[in-house]
Structures are given as structure tokens and as C-alpha cells.
Amino acid sequence: MSKEPVRVLVTGAAVLGLNDLRFGVIMKIFIFYIAAVDKLHGSRETYSNTVQSSLGQIGYALVPMIARGVMLGPEQPVILHMLDIPPAAEALNGVKMELVDAAFPLLKGVVATTDVVEACTGVNVAVMVGGFPRKEGMERKDVMTKNVSIYKSQASALEKHAAANCKVLVVANPANTNALILKEYAPSIPEKNITCLTRLDHNRALGQISERLNVQVCDVKNVIIWGNHSSTQYPDVNHAVVKTPSGEKPVRQLVANDEWLNGEFITTVQQRGAAIIKARKLSSALSAASAACDHIRDWVLGTPEGTWVSMGVYSDGSYNVPAGLIYSFPVTCLNGQWKIVQGLSIDEFSRKKLDLTAQELSEEKSLAYSCLS
């Protein structure tokens, strides 16, 4: 079996206290560029992942995960491309040295560059981890204007230099709407190939159920994150199950506490990011990098039979969610394609939650499009 290395592009810049550079802000952006895997012929072609911002916490956590095979599997060689802005070039080279020193068996090469064309040419998977954060005193529209500018520029680079089948994962907040803007300015990339990260929220929900029931997290499955990657997201356990010695049991039956499931559980998952910032004075990095790997791995390699995951994807109107939003749904993945799980029952409590987060996304969309003009 041929095992050609996969080129992995990692792009991004850290916030260094500089206010205005080429894109109006210094960004931390991951772009994973992955060439297609020819399963029919049993070959493993070159995958390229780009991680933007070697200095960013998520990027620094993510790069070794890619090199170890966490994203693409333990048999898939990779060539890692790292893109950053010129002020971070020295630090970027330092990360390259560390990657070489780590002697990862799957890592077949490292390219560290500040040239976006060199980094993005031919990329097949892009993970965008950077954006402009909201600062004290900033209006919502000011933040949106900054991010529209960033994602318009990044979309242009992908549009010109990425492969036609490029898969995109947006992590930077507001992730759903940033993904929508990127879609607007990269029309040659299919809408099904542009997604945002809600897998971190999905994994947080799994963790909370695991701890509550004192079971292994791998025995819990089919939670759902609906909607926006924000405090309006709806963590739903109505269809989730736990593997037990006597078979799969519904989470709601085992927890046997609707007050907790409809209250504290939801708010804990919604506000987990803020709780981590309060505890460690820094945002989630390790868990976000791990979730990004989970997202891409399942998208490229497929979800286990009988299991779904949460992904922010382009709405087709399923579950009465307005079409044209990037909205988190339960999905299954097969042969590099995701598919929204259909036919799940939605009770009145859940309906209100789904509509609330859809309303927020519609408002964000309107605001973003006003910034475009």
C-alpha cells in the first residue's frame, strides 16, 4: 500500500499588540490542507495542513496532534505547512525547529512561510482559528466589521489558491457567521465544504454526562449541539444514549433529573468557555485543538455506525431552521461528506431553544451583510 505524505497547512498569526497589518488585524488562523485519500486504490496521498499562528495557543496545541496522526489517523504521513505574518516569522521558525526535534514518525516535512500563496496553493482542508476578539468598549458591529474584513481576505486567498474541493473549518468567533462570510467570498468552494466548529461544545456535553453518571465518556453518544457557537446554543440529550452492560440506555432515563438536564447542564455547556477563562486566565486551547482534530477526522474518515456528531453546516431548512445559515446540526459522515440526521423528534422545550439560537444567527447574518456594504 502506498503511503504518500499528506500536506497539512497551518496558518496563523498571534496578537502581538499590533493593531493594523496587512489584513487590518493580526490573526491566528489554522488552515489544514489535505489532499484527497484514494481509498479505491488503497493509496494515501499527500495531505497538507496549514495552521495559522504558530504563536497562538490553539495552534501550538494543534500542530503536534496533526503530526502524531490524531487528525488523519496513525498510518497517514503528513507534511506540515505553517503560515504566519512577517512579525512572527522568527517564532514560526522556532516552532519548525521543535517539530523537527520531536522526530514525529508521520511528519515527512515542515514548511514555515509568511507567503500566503506558498502556504495555500492546492490546500484541501482549511481550519481557520483566528479572528478579531471583542474588546472592552467595542460595539458588536465594530467586532463584526473587523471579522468581515479578515474573512473576506482569507476567503480570497482560498478562492485563488486552494483546491476546488477544499474543506473549511472555522473556529474563530463568531464562528458560524465568519464561516458564512467566507462562503460569500469563496464561491468556488462548495457550500457543503464550509463548516464551523461546534464539536468542542459537543465534547463538553459528553463530558458533563460522563461525569454526572460516572461512566466512561466513550460510552456516551449522540448528544446534539443545535445552532450558534454562542451562549444561545442548545445542548440536547433527548436522543443521547449510554452504553451499559445491559445495552444502550437513554441519558434522560439514567440521569433521572429533568431539572438538571433542562437547566444546569445546558448552562454549564453554554458557559464552559467562560469558566475556563476564569480558571486559567486563558481561553480553551487544548480542548479546542482536540475538537478541531475530531471534526476533521470524522469528516474525512467517517463517523462510526449508529453515531452522530455536531457540526456547524449550511442549513437546507431541516428542522425548520432558516435556510442559508451556518447552523449546528447532528450529522453523520461517510466518504468525506456530511449528512444531517433526519427524523428526530423535537419537543416544545427544544423547539423554543432551536428557534432562539436561529434568531440570533439571523441577526448576526444581517449585521455581517450590512458590514459587507
Side-chain angles (χ1 to χ4, degrees):
M1 178 182 292
S2 170
K3 293 183 180 177
E4 293 296 323
V6 171
R7 293 184 180 273
V8 177
L9 174 63
V10 181
T11 74
V15 176
L16 303 173
L18 302 176
N19 293 321
D20 292 287
L21 284 181
R22 185 173 179 179
F23 298 116
V25 62
I26 301 185
M27 299 164 290
K28 293 180 282 185
I29 301 177
F30 292 102
I31 301 178
F32 302 101
Y33 128 25
I34 303 178
V37 179
D38 187 355
K39 294 184 179 179
L40 292 176
H41 295 89
S43 67
R44 294 180 179 272
E45 298 182 9
T46 299
Y47 268 59
S48 255
N49 279 24
T50 302
V51 177
Q52 185 167 357
S53 200
S54 53
L55 302 180
Q57 285 194 84
I58 299 176
Y60 193 70
L62 182 57
V63 169
M65 293 183 186
I66 298 169
R68 284 188 180 279
V70 176
M71 177 177 286
L72 295 169
E75 298 181 354
Q76 179 61 68
V78 298
I79 296 173
L80 187 59
H81 289 222
M82 299 190 298
L83 172 67
D84 220 316
I85 59 172
E90 185 176 359
L92 181 65
N93 190 53
V95 175
K96 177 181 178 180
M97 289 190 285
E98 285 203 84
L99 286 166
V100 171
D101 293 349
F104 294 110
L106 291 174
L107 187 61
K108 302 306 179 183
V110 180
V111 176
T113 181
T114 59
D115 182 79
V116 68
V117 174
E118 180 184 1
C120 290
T121 298
V123 301
N124 299 101
V125 176
V127 183
M128 320 298 285
V129 182
F132 194 90
R134 187 170 183 173
K135 299 178 180 179
E136 186 176 357
M138 289 187 70
E139 294 295 331
R140 195 166 168 226
K141 185 170 184 177
D142 296 333
V143 180
M144 188 68 73
T145 299
K146 292 284 189 181
N147 280 293
V148 164
S149 175
I150 292 169
Y151 277 84
K152 182 177 177 181
S153 299
Q154 293 300 306
S156 177
L158 290 171
E159 174 75 7
K160 292 176 182 177
H161 306 297
N165 67 339
C166 180
K167 285 179 166 63
V168 180
L169 168 61
V170 176
V171 176
N173 290 319
N176 301 59
T177 302
N178 284 342
L180 197 62
I181 296 304
L182 192 145
K183 173 193 168 296
E184 188 76 18
Y185 285 93
S188 70
I189 299 176
E191 61 189 31
K192 286 183 69 73
N193 284 21
I194 297 177
T195 66
C196 77
L197 186 71
T198 56
R199 184 60 176 268
L200 176 55
D201 309 302
H202 182 100
N203 289 350
R204 286 167 171 168
L206 293 175
Q208 289 301 304
I209 297 300
S210 168
E211 289 203 329
R212 180 77 178 191
L213 295 175
N214 194 28
V215 298
Q216 295 297 310
V217 73
C218 60
D219 290 332
V220 186
K221 70 176 186 178
N222 294 352
V223 299
I224 302 169
I225 302 297
W226 298 97
N228 200 2
H229 177 60
S230 74
S231 60
T232 68
Q233 66 176 257
Y234 173 43
D236 178 6
V237 299
N238 287 326
H239 308 280
V241 295
V242 178
K243 181 181 177 182
T244 73
S246 57
E248 292 183 348
K249 303 289 185 183
V251 163
R252 202 167 274 281
Q253 175 186 326
L254 295 177
V255 172
N257 187 333
D258 285 348
E259 182 180 356
W260 183 78
L261 286 172
N262 292 342
E264 184 181 343
F265 164 73
I266 292 174
T267 56
T268 296
V269 176
Q270 289 173 333
Q271 299 172 12
R272 187 67 161 184
I276 289 171
I277 291 173
K278 182 178 180 181
R280 67 185 295 260
K281 314 307 178 194
L282 295 166
S283 61
S284 307
L286 183 153
S287 56
S290 179
C293 286
D294 291 344
H295 179 112
I296 295 295
R297 184 189 63 246
D298 286 344
W299 192 1
V300 172
L301 301 179
T303 49
E305 186 175 354
T307 300
W308 61 65
V309 295
S310 300
M311 290 172 58
V313 300
Y314 197 68
S315 173
D316 61 359
S318 294
Y319 296 99
N320 293 321
V321 171
L325 298 177
I326 302 286
Y327 189 100
S328 183
F329 288 96
V331 303
T332 55
C333 301
L334 181 66
N335 297 326
Q337 301 292 324
W338 56 263
K339 182 179 180 181
I340 296 174
V341 177
Q342 299 292 338
L344 299 177
S345 59
I346 305 294
D347 60 22
E348 183 179 356
F349 178 85
S350 298
R351 183 73 263 165
K352 291 179 180 178
K353 295 291 188 181
L354 267 68
D355 291 346
L356 178 65
T357 192
Q359 179 181 347
E360 181 182 54
L361 281 170
S362 295
E363 292 171 357
E364 283 189 10
K365 178 181 178 180
S366 296
L367 181 58
Y369 277 58
S370 72
C371 295
L372 289 175
S373 59

